[in-house]
Each structure stands twice: as C-alpha cells, then as structure tokens.
Amino acid sequence: MSEPRRRLRVAILGSTGSVGASTLEVVARHPERFEVFGLTSHRRVAELVEQCLSFKPRIAVLPDRAQAQAARQALAERGATATEVLEGPEALCQLARAPEVDAVMAAIVGAAGLPACLAAAAAGKRLLLANKEALVVGGGLFMRAVAEGGATLLPIDSEHSAIFQCLPEDRRTWKRRIDHLVLTASGGPFRQRAPDSLHGVTPQEAVAHPNWVMGRKISVDSASMMNKALEVIEARWLFDLEPAQVRVVIHPQSIIHSMVVCRDASVLAQLGTPDMRVPIAYGLSFPERIASGAPALDFTRLQGLSFEPVDERLFPGLALAWQALAAAPGTTAVLNAANEVAVEAFLQGTIRFTDIHSVNAHTLERVEPRLAADHGLGDLLDLDRRARVEAERVVHARAAGRH
Ligand code: NAD
Ligand code: MG
C-alpha cells in the first residue's frame, strides 16, 4: 500500500479575482491533495471572508488596517478562529515565503504582484504564475531569483501553459529543439472593426471578451492586444528565447492555446476548451494530471479552426513588445507601467480606448530606464514609479485635449 501523501499547502495571492476563484474551484475538487494555507485580496472584504469560512486558511491578507479589522470582526462574528488576518503589502511577501507554504498561485493583477513573486521565487516555492505583469517588469531579475531560489516556475497564462505542456522537461533542452513559438490570440471583441471606428468604444464594450471571462484589466488588454504584447515578453523570459522567436497569430476560436514550431518543422500544439481551470490544474498537479472541472473538447461539434495575421493598424500596441525587448533593459517595465495607467484611465472614462496606445508609445519614448546591470527590486520599483508619473502626464494631456 502506498503511503498517504502530505497535502500540498497552497497560498493564493489575489484569491478574490478571476484566476484566484478558478484556483479555489480546482482546489475544492481535490481536498485530499490540496490545503489552502493563505488567501489575499485587495478590496472585496466580504468575499475574502466567505472564502476564509469555506477554506479555513491559516492566513488572510488585506492591504490596510481598516479592511483587515473589518475582516477580523466578520470572522469573529461567524465564530471562525482558524484564520489570522494580516495587513499591508509586506504581509503578501511574508505569506509567499512562509515555510509552511509549498505552492504559491500568483494571481494578483499588475506590477503590484512583483515583490511577492520574487519572495516566493527566492524561497524556492512551486510558483504558479498568472501575474504576467510581474515577469514583464521583473525580466532577468525574476528569472535569476527563480534559478537561485530553486523554485519551480509553472506558467498559468493559457498560452504559456500550452507551450510548457508541449515541452515539459528541463528548459536547457528546449532551446535546441525550438525554431519559434506561435502564441495564439483571439483578437478580442474588436477584431472585425475598422481601425478608425475604435476611438468611441466604451469600457463596457472593451471588457466583453468573446471567449474568456476575466478581470477588467486583462479584458481591456485583450481588446487592445496589449495582453498579447505582454505575453510575447512573458514568453521571451519563460522560455529564454530571442524575441524574434516569439510570433503571434489570430485564432478566433481560442481552441489551440499556442504552438511550438520545432527545428524540423514539426508543430506541437495544445488544445482545449477556453477554461482557465485547465492550466491551473496542470500547475497544481504537475507533472501529474488531475480533473480540472473543464469540459473536454467535442471534436464532432467544432465548427473549424481558423487563423489570420494581426492587422497592425487595428492593434498597433502589439509591436511595442518587440520594440521594448530590443531597447535598454527595463523598457518592458516602462511599457507595463504606462499600460497599467492608461487602462485604468480608460476604465475611469478619462481617455479614449485609442489613447491607450499613444500613452504607451509616448511614455516609452520619454522614460529612459537607466538600470544598472546588477539592479534590484528597488530599482525596478523606482523605474515603475517614474514611468507612471510620465504616463499620468500624457493621460492628463490627452484628457485636456478632448475638451
Ligand atoms: P482580477 O482583477 O479578477 O483579480 C485580481 C486579484 O488581485 C484580486 O484578488 C485583487 O483583489 C488582487 N489585487 C488587485 N490589485 C492588487 C494590489 N495592488 N495588491 C494586491 N492585490 C491586488 O484579475 P484576473 O483576471 O484574475 O487576473 C490576475 C492575473 O492573471 C493578471 O496578471 C492577468 O493578466 C493574469 N491572467 C488572467 C487570466 C484570466 O482568465 N482572468 C488569464 C491569464 C492570465
Ligand atoms: Mg493568455
């Protein structure tokens, strides 16, 4: 008889988000394999409290004292004593590196998730990375922290998980076999629009993704294809390739999640229904496979798979990925910061959808990274702040120009 295995203790950073909630769904299917050690949220106290009542984590984290107090009180009123509520950004890092934690799901949105990702990497955790912005900002520093900490980095972004599923072994052996990668993109809600018709689109239209239900920021990024730009940068780092080895094709059905084109012209692809529980389950169980809850593809009902090139007039932001990768180190962090500011301004109604690209392009032109070769997290956070200040300036200029 085999020994009962110890359950994997999981911390989910950003548990109240779309990826966070899907992670809890997969975890809940396998109570014999997984135990929730920590949950975190940036707002939504009531939702975090409900998650704590269901999953009884040891630790919950909220960003400030007021929200933490509200959560403590709500938990006490419901007689829940299992969970200690911590507050502030440092508590995220503390949770990510806690010795009791085996696996960290990084599902925070934006550069805000970088310090905790680095803490998990340095502590040698199994690091499930959904938070692509953290890798776009962290770049080589992030990958060095993973290598030096002995962490196992498992991509959760569906495209990168697809590539990883095609090449599950040691990354040193991948490089010899790969000619290039093809990241698939759905094209989002505006794929069939005329380029000059996009200036008037509303946040509501932009977040209505045809194939995936996701958080607001990534949904806007999908509509502008800045999401794919971030994913090109993410792939460059995850798979240690030249930027020109990462290519993009539009595949509106989101059935092929991405492809590896080998040196011999053989193409490996991973297919499935568009459901984040699949890459999440793979990250949690790698190298095994467990039930994810997602329905399998029914090939008898598939209407066909189609592909088309990206129209650069419709999606001018995509090219910024290769531009930023070719520029000085740190330029991808500038691009990410500008885009975070621009998307928020668009969601707030301050700028137009088409202004997102001009904020990004202008900020890239104006902010020089000036990173030393041995830069650390503090230098990246400074650069992120400088880029945000410049992007805010462009946002205000754009907003003023509209009136
Ligand atoms: P979301 O907006 O639904 O959730 C974000 C989570 O992060 C929430 O729990 C929120 O409370 C927390 N958070 C937000 N700002 C924070 C801050 N400043 N500090 C600490 N916590 C903060 O986002 P999502 O769609 O779940 O996406 C999360 C990440 O996963 C993003 O990087 C996204 O690009 C990536 N991703 C998402 C999907 C998807 O299907 N949703 C797919 C691939 C990759
Ligand atoms: Mg993706």
Side-chain angles (χ1 to χ4, degrees):
M1 252 175 52
S2 64
E3 273 198 30
R5 83 171 84 213
R6 186 172 76 73
R7 295 191 297 170
L8 194 80
R9 291 204 195 102
V10 187
I12 305 173
L13 313 180
S15 61
T16 53
S18 163
V19 171
S22 296
T23 306
L24 283 172
E25 273 183 53
V26 177
V27 163
R29 275 180 181 270
H30 303 278
E32 73 298 348
R33 292 186 77 110
F34 306 116
E35 178 181 339
V36 177
F37 183 82
L39 296 174
T40 88
S41 175
H42 198 54
R43 287 193 190 94
R44 305 203 190 162
V45 175
E47 211 172 310
L48 186 70
V49 165
E50 289 305 320
Q51 291 182 344
C52 289
L53 292 167
S54 304
F55 291 92
K56 302 185 173 49
R58 275 281 297 117
I59 305 286
V61 181
L62 280 157
D64 55 50
R65 176 150 307 171
Q67 295 191 77
Q69 278 297 11
R72 285 178 197 120
Q73 195 179 335
L75 285 169
E77 279 167 11
R78 312 269 292 265
T81 52
T83 306
E84 182 183 358
V85 182
L86 305 179
E87 63 207 33
E90 176 48 34
L92 289 173
C93 297
Q94 211 179 311
L95 171 60
R97 69 167 80 90
E100 297 93 334
V101 168
D102 303 305
V104 174
M105 165 56 88
I108 287 174
V109 58
L114 176 60
C117 282
L118 289 180
K125 304 298 186 195
R126 172 191 282 252
L127 175 54
L128 283 64
L129 184 71
N131 183 195
K132 66 192 85 184
E133 296 91 347
L135 183 52
V136 168
V137 175
L141 179 77
F142 191 123
M143 296 308 291
R144 277 194 299 281
V146 168
E148 285 164 16
T152 305
L153 182 57
L154 296 164
I156 298 300
D157 217 346
S158 58
E159 296 77 2
H160 307 75
S161 171
I163 292 162
F164 184 75
Q165 290 181 57
C166 293
L167 300 164
E169 324 84 357
D170 189 324
R171 57 187 254 147
R172 279 164 302 189
T173 69
W174 298 337
K175 286 187 68 169
R176 294 197 295 273
R177 277 180 284 154
I178 300 177
D179 186 74
H180 64 274
L181 306 179
V182 181
L183 303 185
T184 52
S186 70
F190 304 142
R191 177 175 64 91
Q192 289 170 315
R193 297 279 293 252
D196 57 9
S197 74
L198 287 187
H199 61 275
V201 303
T202 63
Q204 225 172 351
E205 290 173 288
V207 300
H209 196 279
N211 305 343
W212 301 90
V213 181
M214 311 180 286
R216 281 159 68 80
K217 196 260 177 182
I218 184 175
S219 297
V220 174
D221 284 345
S222 298
S224 67
M225 267 184 84
M226 275 307 295
N227 180 50
K228 213 49 58 178
L230 298 175
E231 290 182 358
V232 167
I233 299 167
E234 184 186 12
R236 178 264 173 270
W237 287 112
L238 279 174
F239 305 109
D240 191 21
L241 296 172
E242 292 301 320
Q245 288 177 285
V246 187
R247 301 183 194 169
V248 174
V249 70
I250 290 190
H251 165 46
Q253 297 83 14
S254 300
I255 297 293
I256 295 184
H257 297 308
S258 277
M259 296 176 267
V260 179
V261 182
C262 303
R263 289 274 158 95
D264 56 5
S266 173
V267 182
L268 308 176
Q270 185 261 348
L271 287 71
T273 37
D275 189 320
M276 285 304 291
R277 290 175 298 180
V278 177
I280 290 168
Y282 189 61
L284 284 168
S285 65
F286 171 81
E288 293 177 36
R289 298 263 181 181
I290 56 172
S292 64
L297 278 180
D298 179 351
F299 284 94
T300 63
R301 282 163 174 262
L302 270 188
Q303 296 292 316
L305 304 178
S306 62
F307 305 91
E308 55 194 69
V310 178
D311 180 344
E312 289 185 6
R313 290 165 314 145
L314 197 53
F315 300 115
L318 179 61
L320 297 179
W322 292 277
Q323 190 182 315
L325 282 169
T331 306
T332 57
V334 174
L335 176 59
N336 178 71
N339 187 56
E340 285 193 34
V341 168
V343 169
E344 187 54 33
F346 166 65
L347 285 171
Q348 297 299 326
T350 313
I351 59 171
R352 293 179 189 280
F353 181 73
T354 43
D355 288 331
I356 294 173
H357 178 62
S358 38
V359 171
N360 292 346
H362 277 82
T363 308
L364 275 182
E365 268 172 35
R366 295 201 181 131
V367 178
E368 251 189 81
R370 298 194 300 263
L371 282 180
D374 62 346
H375 65 267
L377 173 61
D379 303 302
L380 284 175
L381 297 180
D382 281 346
L383 176 57
D384 176 77
R385 269 190 291 272
R386 270 203 289 136
R388 279 169 201 267
V389 170
E390 181 58 28
E392 292 285 1
R393 212 189 51 70
V394 188
V395 161
H396 288 127
R398 290 278 141 183
R402 277 174 66 183
H403 301 298

